[in-house]
Amino acid sequence: MLIPRQKTPDLALPLLGGGRFDLATEDSSRGTVICFYRGLHCPICANYLKELEKRVAEFAERGVTCVAVSSDGEERTKAMADKIEASALRFAYDLPLDVAKSWGLYISTSRGKTSIGIEEPALFSEPGLFMVTPEQTLYYGSTQTMPFVRPHFSELVGALDFAIANDYPARGEYTGAV
């Protein structure tokens, strides 16, 4: 389990269109939103990523960068970016599943074709949403076992405004005996 205020695992992956996303060298004044998604086969992910695409500028105004990440290869990642008509959201791909597990993501096995007729990979990670500070410590984290019921980006933007205004620390950091 990732612990708030503690260093997150490293994350360095190729970016669609060239270059690399490297969390350790990410240049943001307040942090990075990392949206792990299931892959091209997931219609709920497509709708979710459309919402994030609409909010990238709002996060940027607050000093936060955004990236969408999956274990899909470059071709499927490009298809997802095209599907949601991405212009602002960066897409990283080829997430190794052992790295997904280090982030606390759940791993699922294929059930064949999805409701939209796209084959699921043999193994893939379930969704997760994280905000990581510029020092690469966990500020916010949410993981799902299924594609349903995800955090709303509008609420995360609002929470970020509150956190900035009140110098609100990451919570859930206690690891002692209970």
Side-chain angles (χ1 to χ4, degrees):
M1 169 172 35
L2 299 184
I3 306 296
R5 303 185 198 176
Q6 301 297 314
K7 186 182 178 300
T8 63
D10 290 328
L11 187 62
L13 301 166
L15 281 170
L16 203 58
R20 287 188 65 76
F21 171 81
D22 188 342
L23 185 57
T25 60
E26 185 70 357
D27 187 24
S28 64
S29 61
R30 289 216 168 85
T32 303
V33 168
I34 303 168
C35 181
F36 292 97
Y37 69 100
R38 300 171 86 219
L40 177 64
H41 63 277
C42 179
I44 297 170
C45 292
N47 289 333
Y48 196 57
L49 293 173
K50 280 182 193 175
E51 262 318 295
L52 180 54
E53 168 71 23
K54 292 176 189 175
R55 305 266 181 205
V56 169
E58 291 176 60
F59 283 111
E61 289 169 7
R62 291 155 178 85
V64 176
T65 59
C66 299
V67 65
V69 177
S70 82
S71 59
D72 276 352
E74 184 176 15
E75 185 177 314
R76 284 173 65 112
T77 301
K78 182 171 180 353
M80 179 61 95
D82 290 347
K83 183 177 194 168
I84 72 157
E85 300 176 348
S87 61
L89 180 59
R90 296 177 297 165
F91 280 80
Y93 58 92
D94 284 342
L95 173 68
L97 292 178
D98 63 329
V99 174
K101 285 184 86 169
S102 75
W103 279 83
L105 300 178
Y106 295 92
I107 307 298
S108 289
T109 58
S110 177
R111 297 197 59 205
K113 288 189 178 181
T114 62
S115 61
I116 57 173
I118 298 175
E119 190 77 25
E120 292 181 343
L123 295 173
F124 59 91
S125 65
E126 292 296 339
L129 184 65
F130 298 88
M131 184 167 162
V132 179
T133 68
E135 297 77 31
Q136 201 180 334
T137 63
L138 181 65
Y139 187 78
Y140 168 86
S142 174
T143 59
Q144 279 83 359
T145 61
M146 299 185 66
F148 316 111
V149 192
R150 301 186 199 189
H152 295 276
F153 294 112
S154 59
E155 291 179 16
L156 187 55
V157 169
L160 187 55
D161 286 341
F162 178 86
I164 292 166
N166 295 285
D167 195 26
Y168 198 80
R171 302 309 317 262
E173 74 288 356
Y174 180 76
T175 59
V178 291

